[in-house]
Structure formats: C-alpha cells, structure tokens
Amino acid sequence: AVLLAYGGNGPLFAPGVCERLGIKDIRLFHLGAIFSAYGSAMSDVLHVYESAVAGGERRAAAQTVGEQLAEQAQTDLRGEGFDPAKATARWEVTTPGGQFAETGPLMDRQALGRLLKRCENGKAEFLRLVASYQVKRTEKLARSAAAAKGPSLVESRPSVLGAKGELPVHGWELLRGRTLSGAAIVDGGTFTWLVPAGWELKVDRQGDATLRSHRGA
C-alpha cells in the first residue's frame, strides 16, 4: 500500500501512521496544502435529514414529516447562498417490507407522494431526505509556473536552512531532483515534511516526492 499525504500538516503525521500500519511508501505533493482547500471548495453541497414516522395513518404522517424536512432543506440551502430550485432530493422510506427510494428536484412536492404511494402496502417507519446541490467545476486546474518548470537547480548550494531541535531543516526549493535521508525536516513554506530516521526522501524535478521506509529492510 502507498499512503498519499496531503494538506500542509498531513505529512508530519504520515510516517507515524505508516509505521503503525506497516506501510513503507508515502507520496508527498508540493501542492498538498491546496488539495484540502480546493477539494472542499469544489465538493457538492450535501444535507441529510432523517426522522422516524409516528401516528396511526403512516402515509399521511410521512407526508407531513417529509414536507417539514423539505422546508428545512430549502431554508438551509438558501442560508448558504444556494438556490433550492436547482437542488436534487433523494427520498428514502423504510417500511417493514424494505426500503424504497426516489430521486427528483427538491422543489417537486409530488415526489414524496409518489414514493409513498409505491410503498403503501407497507407502513412508513422511517424517512430520509438527502438534499444535494452540485457546485460548478472548473474545466482545468491552473498550474503554477513553479510547478510546471521549477527553478534551475544549483547543485553546489546547500539546502539546509537551519535546525529545529536536533533536526536539520532543509528548504524544499533546493531539494528538487535530490535524495535526502532522515532524520530531517523539509520546509516548503505552506507545508512541512517530516523525514524520520530510517526513511529516505526522493524529490522529483516537479517538487513532489516519495518517502520510503528502510526500517527492517
């Protein structure tokens, strides 16, 4: 297995996690700090609402509960700046005989009724609404000039910037195309990589890296 460590902080903890799991290879990315933020920003908006259905007439009770959940979903989406008319709803009804589902526009007030009619032979016991709003995605993720080309390598220039405790701190920019044995710390400005003793870091010309454990080899 290979662990992909992203975020500005993730690579600090990755080696310890891998040692516990018996994983010897880690991939590190110089744009790793962006992955978390970009991924969150480009993920679809998703809200889940659930409710048990009580009452003598389960179909009528389920209809009432469902309308309340739909109103809550619309309120929440509007509060976040999204148009509920463009949202999708997945209705799920649990009955003693099984589960039934139907997907359609959130604003379609007839969708739940159609679903309840399909399962009218079984009493509705539980109702679930998954309301989602699809976020527009860019066709291409722009690459920075540094990521595409990188600075020219100056082999004679030392990469050590200083020390943190007993560990040398290396500048990421000057490690492109190089190999580094731990224990050491790599400072990339927006990220920090930890290279423990017994691990070896290989940085490619793009600035991404492979961190491999040689313990027990």
Side-chain angles (χ1 to χ4, degrees):
V2 178
L3 180 70
L4 307 184
Y6 61 93
N9 237 359
L12 282 173
F13 303 96
V17 171
C18 285
E19 288 177 355
R20 291 290 298 273
L21 297 177
I23 297 175
K24 294 185 176 293
D25 290 285
I26 302 172
R27 284 289 291 156
L28 306 174
F29 311 93
H30 78 281
L31 291 178
I34 298 175
F35 289 173
S36 296
Y38 185 82
S40 297
M42 298 306 291
S43 296
D44 290 340
V45 177
L46 191 71
H47 292 285
V48 179
Y49 306 87
E50 299 178 332
S51 177
V53 179
E57 176 50 58
R58 291 294 179 87
R59 181 174 175 182
Q63 185 71 46
T64 299
V65 170
E67 291 176 356
Q68 293 172 347
L69 297 183
E71 289 178 3
Q72 184 63 55
Q74 294 170 33
T75 299
D76 291 344
L77 288 170
R78 287 194 189 96
E80 294 172 337
F82 302 108
D83 183 1
K86 298 179 181 179
T88 300
R90 175 179 171 82
W91 293 99
E92 299 175 1
V93 176
T94 302
T95 73
Q99 190 177 71
F100 301 81
E102 181 157 335
T103 301
L106 177 61
M107 303 295 282
D108 181 3
R109 293 186 174 274
Q110 306 302 319
L112 178 58
R114 293 193 298 269
L115 176 59
L116 293 174
K117 186 176 181 179
R118 281 171 49 201
C119 58
E120 60 185 353
N121 291 331
K123 294 181 178 180
E125 296 181 334
F126 192 78
L127 191 61
R128 188 170 191 256
L129 166 61
V130 180
S132 60
Y133 183 94
Q134 188 174 31
V135 177
K136 291 183 179 179
R137 290 169 171 76
T138 56
E139 293 298 325
K140 295 181 180 179
L141 175 62
R143 296 177 179 271
S144 65
K149 300 178 180 179
S152 59
L153 299 177
V154 182
E155 299 295 339
S156 61
R157 185 177 174 185
S159 62
V160 179
L161 301 178
K164 183 69 173 179
E166 298 180 356
L167 296 181
V169 178
H170 295 261
W172 161 77
E173 289 277 356
L174 294 170
L175 287 177
R176 292 174 185 246
R178 297 185 182 182
T179 299
L180 176 67
S181 296
I185 292 175
V186 176
D187 181 2
T190 60
F191 60 82
T192 307
W193 295 347
L194 173 63
V195 185
W199 289 73
E200 183 179 75
L201 179 76
K202 290 185 177 181
V203 186
D204 61 27
R205 300 259 170 169
Q206 296 254 341
D208 299 326
T210 298
L211 184 59
R212 175 166 296 175
S213 173
H214 292 288
R215 293 183 180 181

